[in-house]
Amino acid sequence: MKQLFYIIFFALLLFFSCKKDPITNDPTPAPLSSIQVNLNNMVDDSLLVLNKNYFTSAGDSFMVSKFKYYLSNFVFTLEDGSEYTEPESYHLIRHTNGISSFTITQVPLGGYKAVRFMIGVDSTHNVSGTQPGDLESSYASDMFWTWSSGYIFLKLEGTAPKSPASDKLIEYHIGGYGGKYKTQRDFNFNFGFGRLNVLQTKLPVLNLKVNVNEIFKTPVAIDFSSLPTVVAGGFYAKQLADNYADMISLKSIDNP
Amino acid sequence: MMKSFYSLILMGLLGLSSCKVDPVIIPVLPVNDLREIVPQGWPAAKYTFSVNAISAEAFVLGRSLFYETLLSKDNTISCASCHMNKAAFSNPDHNLSHGINGILGKRNAPGIFNLTWHPYFMHDGGINHIEVQPLGPISNRIEMAENINNVISKLQGTDKYKTLFKNAFGTEEVTTQRMFRAMAQFMGLIYSYNSKYDKVIRNEEGMVFTEAESRGYALFQANCNACHKEPLFTDFQFRNNGMRVDPQVNDSGRAHITNQAIDLYKFKTPSLRNLAHTYPYMHDGSLATLQACLDHYTSGVVNITNLDPYLQSGGLKLSAEDKKDLIAFLLTLTDNTIASDSRFADPNIK
């Protein structure tokens, strides 16, 4: 009997709340909050500044004029092992000088102990036509190959004195969503004793370091004189993807 | 309560002010009976409009975009410039497509019909979905050469498209997804299944093949059907049919997409439907007539890398009589309903 009253009570609440405030029409406002993800795009220990000179680990000079990549399919693990999977989780990071960031909203409250995500876009979303949100921006941001369908997962452009290409250009457009040359790469970070505390009133920050130099380093050292450009999926794209597989590391968790 | 009162007043004011603006004239052509069709005996389509609900408004928008020159950099070329309604949406005027500033393309414009069965698009199969297909020609430097951002802002700046997008999707906002889903409706609903061949097969209107057509059909089944598979008259595979490689163009075909040596000079098997309209033939538009095509298969096949196994050992064996009969049959694949259907016509022509 009590239950019935509760149901009627909530139904009435819902009814009135809809009339008064059309914005919050969620019948059971679950305790949700947000996580900010910061991408510290760097070259080793310095923040990446566009068109500034840097050196690879092999000592080759280069400049970056454009650096963009997709991070997707974020899953956060709570203390008890349960998981929060962000729906439609596609984030296009476009580097401008400074820290790039985005916010994941509607996250259930709690202490999170781990996160996993990937560079790239899953194969399903590469073959399902036009998409909304950050995937839609791919067309306008030149992060989609229009002649050979598929998202460009990572794009790095710039110059290097060693490049034999015209204007000393270096161009790496990396993608390829399936088969032996697939270029999505997974990342999985455990916070150890630390916790990412998602609270109603505070915005915790997940700080990730993205080291551009890792793209040129291991397992295959990239020589600008022999491989100045990769602008399609395939063998070389996979080689660069194997390199960027350890490009991102966990910098810190900031609980305000 | 108060809020809705205000919105009423607001709408009233809007209504008033809009009276002062010249009304946008949207050409109205009948777009009745829009629906997904799978003709009897055909396989299931690849694209089913499940996430792109068919509506007259979206179709009208898609049609308008198909005939829209704002899609190109210098506003001179639309999809219909190379895909003409009268020619089953192919281009009988050019063997190779012409882009902006008269730039000569590398390939012949294929017809547009029965697209929802295609697992991939373009002669090299590089595009994997009907909704992202228009991005190819729009952004290709030798075709429409335009940036999609510019297309969106050009469309957004016109009253016509404000109205068309609002009618189709509820708001005036132009997005690529809206654009391309509307275009997928227009292009995906161009069906071709009412040729004489179809009516004979369906036993309709008392249609029967002539004797020459019957002989041609038997020859077709013996010689052509392995690749140009009924009822779509293509197997959607990539094959090298022994065309001479033009050293100027040096079109690597499917290998351009896969970077695999085994795909060098292979192209998607084209449908034979509407051949009467889709000349000139082959991916490079180098053969002007059906006779020339059949002559190619009997005596013109060039033995180049990856030549199709069906064409090795000297091509097809067909007599001059056989070819006449075969052509008689191939012409029964002509479906004139595409050209006569006013739903597919240029809405800008009054």
Side-chain angles (χ1 to χ4, degrees):
Chain A
M1 210 44 198
K2 236 180 190 173
Q3 276 177 336
L4 183 61
F5 279 122
Y6 276 123
I7 291 170
I8 293 176
F9 179 64
F10 274 111
L12 281 172
L13 256 181
L14 180 61
F15 188 65
F16 282 113
S17 64
C18 282
K19 276 210 145 176
K20 276 182 201 153
D21 189 355
I23 297 160
T24 54
N25 51 9
D26 189 344
T28 47
L32 299 173
S33 193
S34 303
I35 297 170
Q36 184 177 324
V37 181
N38 280 0
L39 285 312
N40 300 263
N41 296 318
M42 306 179 78
V43 180
D44 295 328
D45 294 322
S46 29
L47 268 177
L48 172 65
V49 176
L50 294 176
N51 302 312
K52 188 184 164 198
N53 198 55
Y54 295 100
F55 292 92
T56 65
S57 306
D60 293 334
S61 161
F62 71 100
M63 281 188 207
V64 176
S65 59
K66 196 181 277 180
F67 184 46
K68 300 191 268 195
Y69 52 91
Y70 270 105
L71 297 184
S72 62
N73 297 0
F74 276 79
V75 179
F76 291 88
T77 311
L78 272 161
E79 202 106 45
D80 65 1
S82 66
E83 293 181 335
Y84 171 69
T85 303
E86 186 192 17
E88 290 303 310
S89 180
Y90 303 97
H91 303 278
L92 176 56
I93 313 302
R94 307 165 174 92
H95 180 75
T96 49
N97 294 336
I99 294 166
S100 307
S101 68
F102 61 88
T103 304
I104 296 178
T105 57
Q106 313 272 309
V107 184
L109 303 189
Y112 289 84
K113 62 178 184 182
V115 63
R116 61 176 195 271
F117 58 89
M118 67 184 194
I119 292 187
V121 176
D122 49 88
S123 133
T124 309
H125 281 75
N126 274 276
V127 298
S128 308
T130 53
Q131 304 292 328
D134 263 20
L135 291 181
E136 172 156 29
S137 2
S138 70
Y139 312 129
S141 314
D142 295 325
M143 291 296 276
F144 189 86
W145 280 307
T146 57
W147 54 277
S148 180
S149 305
Y151 293 95
I152 297 172
F153 299 162
L154 179 140
K155 180 180 268 194
L156 184 145
E157 291 179 4
T159 56
K162 276 179 86 175
S163 165
S166 59
D167 299 325
K168 307 278 175 205
L169 289 178
I170 53 171
E171 285 183 307
Y172 302 103
H173 301 177
I174 309 305
Y177 55 79
K180 62 177 173 176
Y181 296 134
K182 64 184 286 213
T183 53
Q184 298 97 336
R185 291 297 179 269
D186 296 324
F187 293 86
N188 200 334
F189 298 116
N190 200 306
F191 307 151
F193 293 115
R195 291 290 174 268
L196 184 76
N197 292 319
V198 178
L199 305 168
Q200 195 89 69
T201 50
K202 312 261 178 149
L203 183 64
V205 181
L206 174 67
N207 272 301
L208 300 170
K209 174 183 170 180
V210 181
N211 186 359
V212 168
N213 253 350
E214 292 291 346
I215 302 173
F216 307 125
K217 203 155 112 191
T218 48
V220 179
I222 302 300
D223 183 347
F224 297 136
S225 60
S226 59
L227 195 66
T229 59
V230 177
V231 292
F235 178 84
Y236 293 107
K238 182 193 170 285
Q239 212 165 60
L240 278 137
D242 290 341
N243 279 6
Y244 66 56
D246 60 353
M247 174 177 86
I248 304 178
S249 56
L250 179 64
K251 190 165 178 270
S252 65
I253 293 165
D254 297 341
N255 290 304
Chain B
M1 196 51 209
M2 212 48 193
K3 252 186 187 164
S4 50
F5 183 59
Y6 278 126
S7 25
L8 271 177
I9 292 181
L10 183 61
M11 286 176 78
L13 283 171
L14 268 176
L16 266 180
S17 58
S18 65
C19 291
K20 290 179 192 161
V21 186
D22 284 339
V24 181
I25 313 278
I26 304 295
V28 180
L29 284 168
V31 288
N32 52 318
D33 201 25
L34 294 174
R35 63 197 161 86
E36 211 178 324
I37 292 167
V38 178
Q40 193 195 329
W42 287 34
K46 295 273 175 205
Y47 185 74
T48 60
F49 301 96
S50 56
V51 293
N52 184 14
I54 295 169
S55 73
E57 291 79 9
F59 178 91
V60 165
L61 169 61
R63 178 176 65 191
S64 192
L65 290 166
F66 186 88
Y67 286 98
E68 183 53 71
T69 55
L70 290 178
L71 266 51
S72 64
K73 190 175 187 67
D74 59 3
N75 306 326
T76 59
I77 293 178
S78 73
C79 306
S81 302
C82 294
H83 298 282
M84 301 173 180
N85 183 199
K86 64 171 186 187
F89 290 102
S90 71
N91 188 349
D93 298 342
H94 298 142
N95 51 353
L96 299 176
S97 292
H98 294 195
I100 65 158
N101 301 323
I103 300 174
L104 195 60
K106 290 168 77 169
R107 294 175 184 157
N108 179 254
I112 293 178
F113 47 83
N114 302 337
L115 288 194
T116 52
W117 280 272
H118 286 233
Y120 23 67
F121 299 85
M122 316 307 270
H123 289 295
D124 59 22
I127 295 180
N128 69 14
H129 198 281
I130 191 172
E131 288 176 14
V132 294
Q133 196 283 332
L135 275 168
I138 290 173
S139 56
N140 193 333
R141 277 173 300 145
I142 60 171
E143 294 186 60
M144 298 160 104
E146 183 58 300
N147 176 300
I148 196 67
N149 275 337
N150 295 343
V151 174
I152 289 174
S153 53
K154 280 193 272 184
L155 295 177
Q156 216 137 31
T158 66
D159 288 342
K160 175 181 170 186
Y161 282 101
K162 280 178 187 159
T163 309
L164 286 174
F165 275 86
K166 186 153 198 277
N167 290 349
F169 296 107
T171 66
E172 292 176 355
E173 193 194 358
V174 179
T175 69
T176 46
Q177 187 170 60
R178 286 176 168 189
M179 268 182 73
F180 295 148
R181 286 198 168 161
M183 292 181 80
Q185 290 201 16
F186 175 69
M187 294 190 291
L189 291 173
I190 301 170
Y191 291 110
S192 181
Y193 63 103
N194 282 315
S195 64
K196 177 175 182 182
Y197 158 84
D198 294 300
K199 289 176 182 168
V200 172
I201 295 293
R202 291 197 299 256
N203 220 343
E204 221 170 85
E205 300 169 19
M207 284 276 193
V208 285
F209 284 139
T210 64
E211 279 181 31
E213 289 163 358
S214 286
R215 286 194 301 271
Y217 187 31
L219 287 162
F220 167 83
Q221 291 187 305
N223 291 283
C224 318
N225 196 35
C227 308
H228 297 284
K229 204 169 162 236
E230 296 171 83
L232 288 145
F233 290 87
T234 165
D235 60 356
F236 296 115
Q237 297 302 302
F238 299 96
R239 298 172 179 279
N240 174 345
N241 68 343
M243 297 298 293
R244 190 181 70 89
V245 180
D246 182 339
Q248 294 277 301
V249 180
N250 195 22
D251 190 340
S252 62
R254 179 66 179 161
H256 180 54
I257 303 303
T258 63
N259 283 315
Q260 306 277 326
I262 53 159
D263 290 326
L264 205 55
Y265 308 128
K266 288 184 182 174
F267 295 88
K268 190 166 86 169
T269 308
S271 173
L272 300 182
R273 287 179 171 273
N274 300 303
L275 281 178
H277 294 304
T278 60
Y279 59 87
Y281 305 107
M282 305 302 176
H283 66 269
D284 56 3
S286 62
L287 301 179
T289 63
L290 290 176
Q291 182 69 43
C293 292
L294 294 180
D295 291 346
H296 166 78
Y297 284 120
T298 54
S299 55
V301 171
V302 183
N303 195 354
I304 49 168
T305 320
N306 298 324
L307 178 65
D308 199 88
Y310 285 116
L311 296 175
Q312 286 171 8
S313 66
L316 305 180
K317 309 278 181 285
L318 297 167
S319 70
E321 265 322 294
D322 289 345
K323 289 179 187 173
K324 268 189 199 149
D325 293 340
L326 205 37
I327 290 171
F329 167 71
L330 292 174
L331 292 176
T332 70
L333 300 176
T334 308
D335 182 352
N336 289 318
T337 59
I338 295 178
S340 64
D341 191 331
S342 63
R343 296 175 306 169
F344 306 140
D346 185 347
N348 305 308
I349 295 169
K350 305 287 177 339

